[in-house]
Amino acid sequence: MGRGNAKGMHGPMLERTSATLGLSPTIDATLWQSLCLANTMTAFATTRRYAWHSIGALGVVELTAPTRVACVDAGLKRVGVSPDARKYFALHAHLDVEHSKAWNAEALIPLVAEDPTRARFIAEGAIMRLICGEQCFETYRAHLWAHTHPLVYAAE
């Protein structure tokens, strides 16, 4: 994550995006579904008994990130956001394809090959992350588009 170069680290890149867009995110202004997603990931990562769940959830993040961040990058580009402010999304649209391949080859396959009973817990973590992500996406989508395109949203 930047390999020692602050300009390549997640935090500074996302801070540039937030600053460019004039955003000041707060917990109180964040929809609960987004907090649920973050809390689920945190719980997996901070409780040893959920280590395999965590690996599954992280694997899904790597698997789904390229498409997700490419869409965000395209949207930001469409509304005229500078390349510097979009850097996180532009980079990860390409980098995360390789991250996903590496995660499968270097983490998931060896762990399940060593002990096939881990597969259930890895899959449960992946599914939980996908469900949290879906709920988050649908809630933000409904929240953001409710007043601007109600007929388009209802027709989908």
Side-chain angles (χ1 to χ4, degrees):
M1 294 198 284
R3 300 181 182 217
N5 179 353
K7 288 185 176 186
M9 293 178 177
H10 287 143
M13 282 193 282
L14 291 171
E15 283 177 27
R16 280 194 301 277
T17 304
S18 293
T20 298
L21 297 174
L23 303 175
S24 299
T26 65
I27 297 287
D28 293 337
T30 304
L31 297 174
W32 71 261
Q33 291 84 351
S34 183
L35 298 174
C36 179
L37 187 152
N39 288 341
T40 299
M41 297 299 288
T42 301
F44 285 161
T46 58
T47 306
R48 192 169 189 76
R49 70 182 288 181
Y50 297 121
W52 307 124
H53 291 83
S54 183
I55 288 168
L58 291 169
V60 161
V61 170
E62 293 295 348
L63 180 66
T64 61
T67 303
R68 187 174 60 251
V69 297
C71 288
V72 173
D73 182 48
L76 292 172
K77 184 177 183 178
R78 191 170 46 252
V79 297
V81 175
S82 71
D84 190 49
R86 295 185 289 109
K87 185 176 181 179
Y88 172 88
F89 300 100
L91 279 174
H92 284 79
H94 302 287
L95 292 177
D96 285 343
V97 172
E98 295 306 315
H99 290 168
S100 182
K101 289 178 187 174
W103 191 261
N104 289 338
E106 298 171 22
L108 296 179
I109 292 170
L111 288 171
V112 173
E114 183 179 83
D115 182 355
T117 64
R118 295 172 180 162
R120 172 185 171 194
F121 305 110
I122 291 169
E124 287 174 353
I127 291 168
M128 289 173 75
R129 172 56 178 84
L130 286 169
I131 290 169
C132 288
E134 177 187 35
Q135 290 176 347
C136 185
F137 175 81
E138 291 299 330
T139 301
Y140 273 101
R141 182 177 188 209
H143 179 78
L144 294 170
W145 293 353
H147 303 292
T148 57
H149 304 290
L151 296 177
V152 172
Y153 183 66
E156 292 177 355

